[in-house]
Amino acid sequence: MNEHEWWRGAVVYQIYPRSFADSNGDGIGDLAGITAHLEHVASLGVDAVWLSPFFTSPMKDFGYDVSDYRDVDPLFGSLADFDALIARAHELGLKIIIDQVYSHTSDQHDWFRASRASRTNAKADWYVWADPKADGSPPNNWQSVFGGPAWQWDGRRGQYYLHNFLVEQPDLNFHNPEVIDASLETARFWLDRGVDGFRLDAINFAVHDAQLRDNPPAPDTGRIRTRPSDYQLPTYTRNQPELPAFFEKLRALIDGYGERFTVAEVVGRSPEREMHDYTRGSTRLSSAYGFNFLYADRLTPALVRDAAAKWPGEPGEGWPSWAFENHDAPRAVSRWIGQEHRAAFARMKMLLLLSLRGNPFLYQGEELGLTQVEIGFEDLQDPEAIATWPLTLGRDGARTPMPWRADAPLVGFSIAKPWLPIGPDHAALAVDRQDGDPHSLLNLARRLIAIRRATPELVTGRMWVERAEEALLVFRREGLACAFNLGPEPIEWEGAGEIVATVNGANSARLPGWSGLILRPAG
């Protein structure tokens, strides 16, 4: 691979369609709402937009339970609305990346309805079915991510089916070549409509152990365990050796459409081995997206050092992608910092994310500094949050409506009650309020993204960490020196050169609390 693919080092902006903008007044965001606000996204200077699912779905898991891979759910609009979105994005110079959920479907998908009807129909082996043990219990000890056994009894077939997530999300059988072919045809459908790439959701779950061996117990690391799956190592339910062969078939298809971007979501706390395996060489995926930062309870120099060390840029190595926030994790400014330092921290965090080697992913509202919203039990929508309440923050608090206009009813998101409450402090952070403030986080994000795009070292340059101390983080991007203070107390340090970017008063001699800068050495 050369260093000039459009996606290498690109900044990607994630849109969660339900919560971005509502064009028809039903309280739920939609594709036309996204299209109407793409100029805001383009104004950031990002290269691409990742759209979370908008496909036909019963919405048990808000679109990640797909009942028709090749159509738009009426909540979000139509295929014509999607085509209009693609056209407008391309006019604005934005690439469009969409989710592909190959691991599982909805139980309302026609494939599953056929599969469960009998053991002899044409799609009988399209899902993971297994006979019970002699005592009628499930075939093994696998546990669902959302709690309880990963097996559901189906009386029509007299067998259990596998669901690594909700009961309503049966797992496809990727040991069946017909399933692989059908998945590739789905990819072809969207490529033919003009998409520029795919984000592969929970893809390390897509293949299961064909022998159905029990997962071993997980050692107690002291972490809070809220679900039975936390007590197992996913040895036989994730990252099976047959998976890269599917990536190679997908890549062969995609390469026929020119430069397209593929990024794998690799679920787990130590995903680096799989991330490297999925992206190695030039015949698999472009990049992989892990949870190094999304699940971290603190942002520390050691965390950045350890994540960067896994991607030194050796020949044949894949390309990483990084996110501090997304639709599945609590907002970082609420997770990592107290309220008194939130504004300064958000500025430093933005510079740090855009300084890392790889693809930075910005989640909608991150450019505004949106906080995690506390959702009362009566307003919860997330099935995981409902099942584990009140032990986890859940995902709803990061999925609340985007604030567009501070003084508008419902912050300009909709004219009807939104599907989730609006954050009580989000009107003050609205786009229109920040747009006219040269010192706002929004305008800082625009400036920093522009600096990144104009600085080749930040886009594709190698990275190595020189210092990772209590609060001081210093790393190199080729010749550039990047220094950050991840704590509240000022740090004296010795740097030299022209300032390329700085936040919160950082300079070549002193790093105030929660600050950072990039220096280009003289000469």
Side-chain angles (χ1 to χ4, degrees), residues 30-97:
D30 46 47
L31 296 182
I34 295 170
T35 303
H37 290 81
L38 281 177
E39 288 188 12
H40 165 72
V41 181
S43 79
L44 295 171
V46 301
D47 302 280
V49 174
W50 155 31
L51 298 178
S52 290
F54 50 83
F55 316 110
T56 309
S57 168
M59 301 295 166
K60 297 294 184 180
D61 193 22
F62 299 103
Y64 284 96
D65 51 321
V66 181
S67 57
D68 187 343
Y69 283 114
R70 304 182 194 181
D71 204 354
V72 174
D73 193 278
L75 274 175
F76 300 126
S78 64
L79 282 170
D81 291 322
F82 179 79
D83 293 340
L85 189 159
I86 284 273
R88 181 58 178 150
H90 288 170
E91 286 176 3
L92 293 168
L94 295 168
K95 308 286 189 181
I96 294 293
I97 299 158

Side-chain angles (χ1 to χ4, degrees), residues 57-341:
S57 168
M59 301 295 166
K60 297 294 184 180
D61 193 22
F62 299 103
Y64 284 96
D65 51 321
V66 181
S67 57
D68 187 343
Y69 283 114
R70 304 182 194 181
D71 204 354
V72 174
D73 193 278
L75 274 175
F76 300 126
S78 64
L79 282 170
D81 291 322
F82 179 79
D83 293 340
L85 189 159
I86 284 273
R88 181 58 178 150
H90 288 170
E91 286 176 3
L92 293 168
L94 295 168
K95 308 286 189 181
I96 294 293
I97 299 158
I98 67 172
D99 257 310
Q100 294 286 269
V101 189
Y102 295 139
S103 169
H104 51 265
T105 71
S106 164
D107 62 353
Q108 301 303 305
H109 198 294
D110 286 346
W111 297 348
F112 187 70
R113 287 173 169 166
S115 187
R116 78 191 316 181
S118 73
R119 300 192 189 192
T120 58
N121 70 81
K123 290 186 171 56
D125 194 37
W126 278 45
Y127 291 81
V128 184
W129 295 96
D131 292 327
K133 291 181 178 178
D135 62 359
S137 60
N140 62 28
N141 71 346
W142 296 351
Q143 297 293 309
S144 163
V145 169
F146 288 157
W151 296 97
Q152 177 68 19
W153 177 254
D154 187 88
R156 279 159 282 193
R157 280 189 53 139
Q159 287 182 305
Y160 285 95
Y161 67 82
L162 178 67
H163 61 93
N164 276 302
F165 296 93
L166 294 176
V167 170
E168 297 88 355
Q169 293 171 301
D171 274 56
L172 285 162
N173 179 14
F174 263 69
H175 293 289
N176 184 337
E178 292 179 346
V179 172
I180 292 175
D181 290 344
S183 299
L184 295 175
E185 285 306 305
T186 293
R188 188 189 304 278
F189 176 85
W190 293 107
L191 289 164
D192 287 342
R193 296 197 93 87
V195 303
D196 301 289
F198 301 120
R199 181 256 193 190
L200 307 183
D201 178 69
I203 194 62
N204 50 339
F205 283 92
V207 180
H208 67 288
D209 174 52
Q211 299 179 53
L212 303 184
R213 288 171 284 188
D214 280 353
N215 277 333
D220 187 353
T221 61
R223 289 181 179 271
I224 295 175
R225 300 198 268 197
T226 61
R227 300 166 294 191
S229 60
D230 296 335
Y231 291 82
Q232 294 184 353
L233 295 175
T235 306
Y236 298 114
T237 45
R238 300 184 204 167
N239 304 313
Q240 299 306 294
E242 298 89 349
L243 192 50
F246 169 68
F247 297 150
E248 291 173 359
K249 291 183 179 181
L250 180 63
R251 179 63 180 270
L253 167 66
I254 288 172
D255 281 350
Y257 289 81
E259 284 190 7
R260 298 292 187 269
F261 176 58
T262 49
V263 56
E265 180 199 29
V266 185
V267 178
R269 296 195 181 276
S270 300
E272 285 79 15
R273 181 179 65 82
E274 290 77 24
M275 292 170 70
H276 280 284
D277 194 30
Y278 295 176
T279 60
R280 184 177 300 116
S282 59
T283 61
R284 297 183 180 178
L285 304 179
S286 310
S287 185
Y289 176 109
F291 285 73
N292 307 69
F293 299 103
L294 291 169
Y295 284 169
D297 55 5
R298 291 180 61 219
L299 178 63
T300 66
L303 177 64
V304 177
R305 177 199 63 206
D306 294 346
K310 301 294 195 306
W311 299 89
E314 296 175 349
E317 180 182 282
W319 187 255
S321 290
W322 308 110
F324 290 169
E325 301 183 8
N326 76 1
H327 65 293
D328 281 335
R331 292 281 187 181
V333 290
S334 297
R335 180 163 36 101
W336 284 342
I337 195 68
Q339 185 172 356
E340 68 276 17
H341 298 298

Side-chain angles (χ1 to χ4, degrees), residues 368 403-408 427 429-437 442:
L368 306 177
W404 293 103
R405 300 190 303 279
D407 297 328
L429 300 171
V431 171
D432 69 335
R433 184 159 293 183
Q434 294 200 38
D435 191 49
D437 178 1
L442 171 59

Side-chain angles (χ1 to χ4, degrees), residues 297-437:
D297 55 5
R298 291 180 61 219
L299 178 63
T300 66
L303 177 64
V304 177
R305 177 199 63 206
D306 294 346
K310 301 294 195 306
W311 299 89
E314 296 175 349
E317 180 182 282
W319 187 255
S321 290
W322 308 110
F324 290 169
E325 301 183 8
N326 76 1
H327 65 293
D328 281 335
R331 292 281 187 181
V333 290
S334 297
R335 180 163 36 101
W336 284 342
I337 195 68
Q339 185 172 356
E340 68 276 17
H341 298 298
R342 197 162 281 164
F345 185 89
R347 299 167 70 84
M348 180 275 296
K349 176 179 73 71
M350 184 67 69
L351 179 61
L352 176 57
L353 178 61
L354 294 170
S355 301
L356 297 177
R357 177 181 179 269
N359 285 12
F361 276 63
L362 279 175
Y363 178 48
Q364 65 180 51
E366 190 171 359
E367 76 277 21
L368 306 177
L370 293 191
T371 55
Q372 181 78 1
V373 180
E374 291 189 17
I375 307 293
F377 183 79
E378 66 280 4
D379 290 322
L380 287 178
Q381 304 288 332
D382 175 19
E384 182 181 21
I386 293 169
T388 58
W389 187 88
L391 292 178
T392 61
L393 286 173
R395 301 176 295 178
D396 287 335
R399 298 176 174 183
T400 56
M402 183 82 168
W404 293 103
R405 300 190 303 279
D407 297 328
L410 303 173
V411 294
F413 168 75
S414 178
I415 59 172
K417 180 182 178 181
W419 75 289
L420 280 173
I422 294 165
D425 61 339
H426 286 187
L429 300 171
V431 171
D432 69 335
R433 184 159 293 183
Q434 294 200 38
D435 191 49
D437 178 1

Side-chain angles (χ1 to χ4, degrees), residues 3-14:
E3 292 187 344
H4 302 289
E5 300 99 335
W6 69 262
W7 53 263
R8 192 177 294 270
V11 181
V12 182
Y13 185 87
Q14 181 193 356

